[in-house]
Amino acid sequence: MAMRFLCESHRQQLLRSQAVAEMRWGEWMEAGREAFSNKEWLVALKYLGSSYELSELLLKLAWTPLLPCLDRLMVSGHFLAECLRHCGETQLQRHCLLEVHHRLLTTIRSPQGAELPLRANIEISLQMLSRHYSDTGEADLLVACEQETRRLLRRSVH
């Protein structure tokens, strides 16, 4: 289940123009990062959540998964996860981290995504997950995910 931050009206407006959507993503990420650095967690949550949802929409618009789309998803997803952590929402943080990681692994398994240089993205995603599970005292729950991720990375040429 995807987290929702945008209303249906804004979602439809943003789907009409990829250029406008990309511009909004950058604006919202900047506002979210600024609020984050000022420890204004609820303000940051609004902007980072909207950026993350928009990155998902932009990824769905692409005929094939493109590295800039995946980078946007990962950056906004990891920022959102950190913001959720600061808001005390560890289950939502986990959900967000797992969504990002799942999308990266799904992409690298696909014929269109297999040639993308995703190794660094996947390594960073796995580090974020490892830190989260260690912080919650549940590192053992991540073992299977780590093994599958390592297997996919060994198979990947990038």
Side-chain angles (χ1 to χ4, degrees):
M1 178 165 111
M3 291 183 273
R4 295 289 187 173
F5 292 89
L6 299 171
C7 71
E8 190 57 36
S9 173
H10 281 109
R11 201 173 293 112
Q12 292 307 315
Q13 287 174 6
L14 291 165
L15 285 172
R16 287 189 200 116
S17 169
Q18 183 173 341
V20 170
E22 289 174 358
M23 188 172 60
R24 290 293 169 267
W25 183 87
E27 291 168 356
W28 292 343
M29 277 301 296
E30 182 59 35
R33 282 193 296 257
E34 184 176 327
F36 188 95
S37 69
N38 292 329
K39 299 180 181 176
E40 298 169 351
W41 308 124
L42 295 178
V43 174
L45 188 63
K46 177 178 80 167
Y47 286 111
L48 296 172
S50 295
S51 294
Y52 177 66
E53 186 175 347
L54 186 50
S55 70
E56 289 179 314
L57 291 172
L58 286 165
L59 198 52
K60 288 176 187 173
L61 288 176
W63 288 100
T64 60
L66 302 171
L67 195 56
C69 292
L70 291 163
D71 285 343
R72 272 193 296 268
L73 179 82
M74 191 179 96
V75 167
S76 57
H78 287 168
F79 256 106
L80 176 58
E82 282 301 294
C83 190
L84 289 164
R85 181 176 69 84
H86 286 288
C87 291
E89 297 288 347
T90 55
Q91 290 305 311
L92 289 175
Q93 175 195 15
R94 178 177 296 182
H95 177 79
C96 189
L97 290 170
L98 288 170
E99 271 189 344
V100 169
H101 198 68
H102 179 263
R103 182 57 188 214
L104 291 171
L105 294 185
T106 299
T107 301
I108 202 170
R109 283 184 185 116
S110 74
Q112 306 92 339
E115 296 302 314
L116 291 175
L118 291 175
R119 177 176 292 279
N121 297 60
I122 291 170
E123 289 283 354
I124 291 166
S125 180
L126 189 58
Q127 287 174 345
M128 295 291 288
L129 278 167
S130 293
R131 188 190 72 169
H132 167 76
Y133 278 90
S134 290
D135 289 351
T136 61
E138 301 172 301
D140 56 317
L141 296 177
L142 193 60
V143 172
C145 178
E146 286 176 319
Q147 290 172 343
E148 176 63 6
T149 300
R150 297 282 175 225
R151 186 188 71 75
L152 285 170
L153 287 176
R154 280 192 301 276
R155 194 185 81 189
S156 172
V157 294
H158 301 285

